[in-house]
Amino acid sequence: MSSIGNKPLVGIVMGSDSDLKVMKEAVEALEEFGVKAEILVASAHRTPERAARYAETAEARGLEVLIAGAGLAAHLPGVLAAFTPLPVIGVPLQSGALQGWDSLLAIAQMPPGVPVATVAVNGAKNAGLLAVQMLGGKYPELREAFKGYKQKMARQVEEKDAKLGEPRPVF
């Protein structure tokens, strides 16, 4: 798919550069659809002003969706959502003694009025795909490309099924 403009439409924020191992899957999913992203390391706890400033200025810089990866207490997605009108997708990262369950619950349990869409633990690829779907509301070419992506996945499943051979149930 051709690129949607030259400017990033998605901001990807993570609390540490070590999170890039997981968050790069969001970048790759966006790139598959020609969507540019910018990446930032900012911590809700160690650099809260930086995180807030980033969220406050995101819309003016032309961003349309934010994706935030966070582990442990996982406050980063909520902090960004508190400071921007843009949709925020939270990616709970597997870390610590609870292996990401704490992050998942922290991101999913946002208070009323501060929504954060939440994907699976380490689900950065789905965060990127969800961002593409959100952008598809404005960019018909992305919506059509996403339809093609889903059709391709369906064909792949059918091809795998066909390799199983007989006997097969009839639907």
Side-chain angles (χ1 to χ4, degrees), residues 10-169:
V10 178
I12 299 176
V13 186
M14 60 203 86
S16 170
D17 64 341
S18 64
D19 300 335
L20 188 57
K21 294 183 299 247
V22 173
M23 298 306 291
K24 69 178 180 179
E25 293 180 22
V27 175
E28 292 165 357
L30 293 166
E31 287 175 345
E32 185 174 344
F33 291 89
V35 176
K36 293 186 181 346
E38 60 183 36
I39 302 172
L40 176 79
V41 174
S43 169
H45 301 111
R46 294 181 296 268
T47 60
E49 296 88 1
R50 177 179 171 87
R53 222 175 17 255
Y54 181 81
E56 287 173 334
T57 61
E59 182 182 22
R61 290 194 323 277
L63 296 179
E64 298 185 26
V65 179
L66 299 181
I67 298 173
L72 301 172
H75 291 138
L76 184 59
V79 167
L80 297 179
F83 287 97
T84 186
L86 300 176
V88 176
I89 303 168
V91 180
L93 298 175
Q94 185 176 0
S95 60
L98 298 178
Q99 297 299 300
W101 281 99
D102 48 350
S103 306
L104 175 63
L105 294 173
I107 297 170
Q109 292 296 103
M110 291 300 299
V114 189
V116 173
T118 309
V119 296
V121 173
N122 285 359
K125 179 177 182 175
N126 272 353
L129 293 173
L130 182 56
V132 169
Q133 286 183 292
M134 289 175 170
L135 293 167
K138 180 176 179 181
Y139 301 99
E141 59 270 42
L142 284 179
R143 187 171 47 253
E144 291 305 311
F146 200 83
K147 288 177 185 178
Y149 175 83
K150 292 185 93 163
Q151 291 167 352
K152 177 182 171 187
M153 285 193 308
R155 281 192 306 275
Q156 290 171 339
V157 169
E158 291 168 2
E159 290 167 4
K160 290 175 183 179
D161 180 59
K163 289 180 183 178
L164 292 178
E166 300 293 333
R168 303 172 49 79

